[in-house]
């Protein structure tokens, strides 16, 4: 299958836009367990801002996380209730009621202010950008105004260029568009970074001589749990004429100027709304100049797939197979039933991909002949792969060793050369680009953790991840003379299929031994999550990267509070919700905590889910 749309260069200068690249905070936002979010109260925000960290730590050491959360819950419920009541009793002006009805929208409290939001069944950042861009360009075309879309340095919003000599005509056409629709001015063209209603005619006076302005709609899902706003707006730039050329009022990714009378071309809108590619289809086209369809060296044009390994530990047939082959575990964590608990993470991890990485080509789900009941395998772009299809020796199956399964991933038929390996407890927390994980020349990125692999040889007291890490280290020490000490973060692992095949050849004995172990053992190596990165780095095919990330152990007593903060801020590019030490008795509590959080964070079903 070919790569969708052509890729775009790395983001540069995004900070100059002044727009946060995250969904907006919504009033009455739910908490991680489905109740009121304890972090949503302004009182709690003031508490965090005013009290020094040392004082807050002293309070935390004296009172349990549950007690602190109950107090914050009462404060939050009162504050949110007051805010909602105030919003309701104030009522809406007649003009606002008309706007709500015209857009089939809803009034929400966003960042503490009442805003009109359009309700979208298939809400996503790309869909929001496309709708905003489509409305703006349609208004310009209807008024007979020439324009061209610009390839920007940011990867969040879109940019449309209009000759400065057409400014008055363009502003009139856009003001007409906003008169009966709930459109807002975004921060890009505003002093102080404010958001103001564009449906108020008087607000347009300040743009009479503006070099640019940003228009956007607030958009929310049917459950009103997620709101997308100015970060996906459409910026209209007015390019002054200098001789026979139009000059950009600010930098873009391609050129400072274009011929004033140059020919335009029509391209799919996704060229600009999904510059890294998308599986979504749209008939919308827009005008641009040929210059802005130019490929540059930073463009990633190769296809990128995703691979998951997944097991349904509650499946009786799987449990019987495991019982038939099980022996004495070398460490209690290796046999921990929580490692196989199903909190439905895969459903929500797929939703995170659909929402924040539409450029993924094909998703491969590697299982022991299991398929989630809710998964629609008829959808293009997803394939279930049996262990039998990737293990060359059927005598090694069944296997219950994740290290063994991971050692065979590069054998997947049709898998792209460059792919991401996900565990189902890893989620994209915000929109990601292929450049977060790869370079355009094919190099992969890895993400070292501050957590260390203990020095010395494997010990019976080591947890499995440390034992595998020590075995990896021994191979790297022998081959390259360095001593890896860092573990890797629980993030999507960027991998090269050919390098994995090379590792299988170069460390054939250890590779075969790992593949042959039905359960985790003291001789395992962990290939895609650790050994690959160190081997590829030493052979000049990988380099360290950075990503905003958080790891949450579900068994930790403060996890509920941390989930509430994550849900409120949505400021992490990747997060992991790991549950390795809970007992079977804790699983019900873990599920009660995780399901509401995941449903609130990822409320939009992906195309891969069967209708409920």
């Amino acid at each position: 299958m070919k790569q969708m749309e052509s890729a775009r260069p790395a983001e540069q200068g995004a900070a100059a836009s002044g727009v946060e690249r995250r969904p907006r905070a919504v009033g009455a936002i739910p908490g991680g367990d489905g109740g009121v979010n304890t972090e949503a109260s302004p009182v709690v925000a003031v508490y965090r801002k005013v009290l020094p960290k040392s004082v807050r730590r002293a309070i935390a050491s004296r009172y349990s996380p549950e007690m602190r959360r109950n107090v914050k819950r009462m404060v939050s419920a009162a504050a949110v209730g007051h805010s909602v009541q105030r919003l309701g009793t104030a009522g809406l002006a007649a003009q606002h009621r008309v706007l709500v009805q015209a857009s089939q929208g809803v009034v929400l409290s966003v960042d503490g202010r009442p805003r009109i939001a359009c309700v979208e069944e298939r809400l996503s950042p790309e869909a929001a950008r496309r709708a905003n861009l489509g409305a703006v360009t349609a208004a310009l075309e209807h008024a007979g105004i020439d324009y061209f879309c610009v390839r920007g340095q940011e990867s969040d919003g879109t940019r449309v260029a209009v000759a400065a000599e057409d400014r008055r005509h363009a502003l009139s056409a856009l003001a007409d568009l906003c008169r009966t629709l709930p459109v807002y001015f975004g921060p890009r063209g505003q002093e102080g970074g404010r958001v103001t209603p564009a449906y108020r005619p008087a607000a347009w006076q300040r743009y009479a001589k503006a070099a640019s302005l940003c228009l956007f709609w607030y958009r929310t899902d049917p459950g009103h749990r997620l709101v997308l706003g100015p970060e996906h707006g459409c910026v209209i730039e007015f390019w002054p004429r200098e001789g026979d050329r139009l000059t950009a009022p600010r930098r873009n990714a391609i050129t400072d100027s274009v011929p004033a009378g140059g020919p335009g071309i029509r391209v799919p809108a996704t060229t600009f709304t999904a510059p890294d590619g998308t599986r979504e289809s749209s008939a919308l086209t827009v005008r641009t100049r040929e210059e802005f369809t130019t490929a540059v060296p930073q463009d990633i044009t190769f296809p990128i797939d995703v691979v998951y390994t997944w097991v349904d530990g509650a499946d009786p047939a799987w449990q019987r197979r495991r019982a038939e082959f099980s022996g004495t575990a070398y460490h209690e964590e290796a046999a921990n039933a929580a490692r196989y608990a199903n909190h439905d993470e895969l459903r929500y991890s797929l939703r995170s991909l659909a929402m924040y990485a539409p450029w993924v080509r094909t998703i491969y789900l590697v299982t022991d002949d299991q398929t989630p009941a809710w998964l629609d395998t008829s959808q293009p772009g997803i394939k279930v792969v049996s262990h039998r299809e990737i293990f060359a020796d059927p005598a090694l199956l069944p296997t219950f060793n994740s290290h063994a399964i991971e050692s065979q991933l590069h054998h997947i038929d049709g898998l792209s050369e460059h792919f991401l390996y996900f565990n189902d407890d890893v989620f994209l927390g915000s929109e990601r680009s292929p450049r977060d994980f790869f370079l355009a020349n094919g190099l992969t990125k890895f993400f070292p953790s501050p957590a260390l692999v203990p020095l010395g040889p494997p010990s019976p007291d080591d947890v499995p991840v440390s034992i595998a890490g020590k075995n990896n280290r021994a191979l790297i020490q022998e081959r390259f003379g360095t001593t890896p000490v860092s573990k890797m973060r629980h993030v999507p692992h960027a991998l090269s299929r050919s390098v994995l095949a090379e590792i299988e050849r170069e460390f054939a004995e250890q590779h075969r031994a790992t593949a042959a172990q039905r359960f985790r053992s003291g001789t395992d190596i962990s290939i895609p999550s650790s050994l690959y990165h160190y081997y590829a780095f030493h052979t000049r095919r990988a380099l360290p990267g950075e990503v905003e990330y958080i790891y949450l152990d579900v068994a930790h007593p403060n996890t509920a509070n941390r989930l509430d903060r994550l849900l409120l801020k949505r400021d992490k590019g990747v997060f992991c919700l790991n549950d390795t030490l809970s007992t079977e008795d804790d699983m019900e509590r873990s599920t009660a905590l995780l399901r509401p959080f995941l449903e609130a964070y990822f409320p939009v079903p992906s195309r891969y889910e069967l209708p409920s």
Side-chain angles (χ1 to χ4, degrees):
M1 186 180 298
K2 66 179 181 179
Q3 176 78 344
M4 277 71 73
E5 307 294 336
S6 60
R8 294 296 182 234
E11 178 181 330
Q12 301 174 14
S17 70
V19 181
E20 291 185 80
R21 296 180 57 202
R22 63 177 180 88
R24 319 308 295 171
V26 187
I29 189 171
D33 59 359
V36 173
N37 192 317
T38 63
E39 302 298 321
S41 166
V43 178
V44 174
V46 170
Y47 163 82
R48 289 187 175 281
K49 184 175 182 180
V50 172
L51 286 187
K53 186 177 292 186
S54 59
V55 175
R56 286 187 277 121
R57 284 178 175 171
I59 295 174
S61 65
R62 185 170 181 179
Y63 300 100
S64 70
E66 184 176 0
M67 180 179 292
R68 300 198 309 273
R69 191 164 192 260
N70 286 336
V71 172
K72 287 190 287 186
R73 182 186 292 278
M74 289 188 291
V75 173
S76 299
V80 171
H82 174 71
S83 174
V84 172
Q85 182 182 23
R86 179 167 53 83
L87 183 61
T89 55
L92 292 173
Q95 179 187 22
H96 287 190
R97 286 199 297 270
V98 171
L99 291 172
V100 172
Q101 294 170 357
S103 61
Q104 297 182 335
V106 62
V107 177
L108 298 174
S109 174
V110 182
D111 291 333
R113 297 179 180 274
R115 302 296 191 194
I116 303 171
C118 303
V119 178
E120 307 283 354
E121 287 288 337
R122 305 297 300 178
L123 182 69
S124 73
E126 191 279 323
R129 288 192 291 269
R130 181 163 20 101
N132 293 335
L133 177 64
V136 167
T137 55
L140 295 175
E141 291 186 19
H142 181 73
I145 300 169
D146 191 23
Y147 74 88
F148 52 91
C149 291
V150 175
R151 182 171 167 177
Q153 292 180 315
E154 309 94 20
S155 59
D156 43 5
T158 53
R159 292 164 66 172
V160 172
V162 174
E165 59 202 50
D166 294 328
R167 183 194 337 255
R168 185 179 62 82
H169 192 191
L171 291 176
S172 176
L174 294 172
D176 287 344
L177 168 70
C178 300
R179 192 161 289 122
T180 57
L181 293 173
V183 190
Y184 291 83
F185 290 116
R188 282 189 178 89
Q190 297 256 53
E191 294 181 4
R194 295 174 297 149
V195 167
T196 56
Y199 49 78
R200 295 175 180 167
W204 286 82
Q205 296 175 2
R206 73 183 66 183
Y207 292 102
K209 297 181 180 180
S212 67
L213 68 149
C214 174
L215 295 177
F216 74 96
W217 283 252
Y218 284 106
R219 302 182 189 277
T220 186
D221 69 287
H224 311 158
R225 290 162 292 188
L226 177 67
V227 173
L228 304 182
E231 67 275 12
H232 305 299
C234 179
V235 175
I236 300 92
E237 302 177 340
F238 298 107
W239 288 41
R241 182 189 291 267
E242 295 184 4
D244 61 352
R245 299 187 70 84
L246 297 177
T247 303
R250 61 175 181 150
R251 290 182 179 178
N252 60 67
I254 300 297
T255 181
D256 293 333
S257 67
V258 297
I265 59 174
R266 293 202 77 92
V267 298
T270 51
T271 304
F272 298 97
T273 63
D276 296 311
T278 180
R279 185 169 289 283
E280 297 295 328
S281 60
S282 171
L284 179 65
T285 62
V286 292
R287 298 179 196 164
T288 188
R289 296 290 185 91
E290 188 172 358
E291 292 92 331
F292 297 108
T293 64
T294 300
V296 297
Q298 302 97 314
D299 288 350
I300 293 178
T301 58
F302 49 76
I304 300 170
D305 293 338
V306 163
V307 175
Y308 284 90
T309 51
W310 182 80
V311 63
D312 179 5
D315 176 13
W318 181 87
Q319 290 177 345
R320 285 192 295 270
R321 289 195 298 274
R322 188 171 186 271
E324 180 182 351
F325 291 95
S326 63
T328 302
Y330 76 102
H331 188 281
E332 62 180 6
E333 184 186 342
N336 180 13
R339 292 184 60 249
Y340 302 105
N342 177 19
H343 304 304
D344 230 6
E345 293 100 326
L346 178 64
R347 180 197 297 267
Y348 297 102
S349 187
L350 287 175
R351 287 187 183 185
S352 80
L353 273 183
M355 175 75 70
Y356 296 131
W359 39 266
V360 169
R361 184 185 69 163
T362 303
I363 299 169
Y364 293 93
L365 181 62
V366 177
T367 79
D368 187 7
D369 293 316
Q370 296 176 309
T371 302
W374 50 264
L375 187 67
D376 185 355
T377 57
S378 68
Q379 286 290 331
I382 192 159
K383 297 180 181 180
V384 178
V385 179
S386 168
H387 295 169
R388 293 179 287 105
E389 298 178 53
I390 59 176
F391 276 81
D393 185 357
L396 303 181
L397 298 175
T399 183
F400 310 93
N401 181 1
S402 61
H403 292 149
I405 298 166
E406 290 171 351
S407 73
Q408 307 297 305
L409 298 182
H410 58 292
H411 296 160
I412 295 174
D413 185 35
L415 180 65
S416 60
E417 166 64 15
H418 300 89
F419 69 97
L420 295 172
Y421 171 49
F422 271 71
N423 290 126
D424 63 0
D425 59 1
V426 171
F427 308 84
L428 300 183
S430 60
E431 203 164 11
R432 297 293 92 194
S433 162
R435 292 171 295 280
D436 291 319
F437 306 102
F438 300 93
L439 294 186
N441 61 5
L443 271 65
T444 58
K445 296 183 181 182
F446 60 96
F447 305 90
S449 167
L452 301 177
V453 178
L455 294 175
S459 163
D461 296 328
D462 288 330
V463 295
V465 66
S466 293
I467 290 179
K470 290 182 175 182
N471 293 334
N472 297 338
R473 179 164 62 206
L475 297 180
I476 297 298
Q477 284 176 320
E478 182 180 359
R479 181 63 59 89
F480 302 107
T482 66
T483 302
V485 295
S486 294
K487 296 179 181 179
M488 296 293 167
R489 294 191 184 276
H490 291 250
V491 298
H493 295 288
L495 303 169
S496 163
R497 193 176 182 183
S498 59
V499 174
L500 288 170
E502 185 175 316
I503 290 173
E504 182 174 14
R505 295 190 303 270
E506 293 296 313
F507 305 109
E509 180 181 351
Q510 295 84 356
H511 198 282
R512 283 194 299 269
T514 298
Q517 294 293 333
R518 296 190 194 277
F519 297 88
R520 286 192 175 187
S521 79
T523 61
D524 283 356
I525 54 176
S526 51
I527 300 172
S529 61
S530 179
L531 178 61
Y532 169 93
H533 302 305
Y534 283 117
Y535 180 83
F537 173 77
H538 282 88
T539 56
R540 302 181 181 180
R541 288 173 287 185
L543 73 166
E546 293 289 339
V547 65
E548 286 294 321
Y549 161 83
I550 189 170
Y551 171 92
L552 297 176
D553 185 345
V554 178
H556 193 280
N558 197 38
T559 295
N561 288 317
R562 299 180 73 189
L563 288 175
D564 280 350
R565 288 197 290 273
L566 178 59
L567 184 59
L568 180 68
K569 295 182 178 181
R570 294 177 179 264
D571 57 349
K572 303 302 181 186
V574 177
F575 60 89
C576 176
L577 306 178
N578 206 348
D579 188 4
T580 59
L581 296 175
S582 295
T583 65
E584 293 191 47
D585 294 336
D586 293 328
M587 289 183 196
E588 186 174 345
R589 182 191 66 83
S590 297
T591 300
L593 181 65
L594 292 183
R595 288 278 182 87
F597 165 80
L598 291 170
E599 185 63 32
Y601 205 108
F602 305 110
V604 181
S606 73
R607 63 165 67 240
Y608 308 115
E609 298 176 42
L610 290 166
S612 56

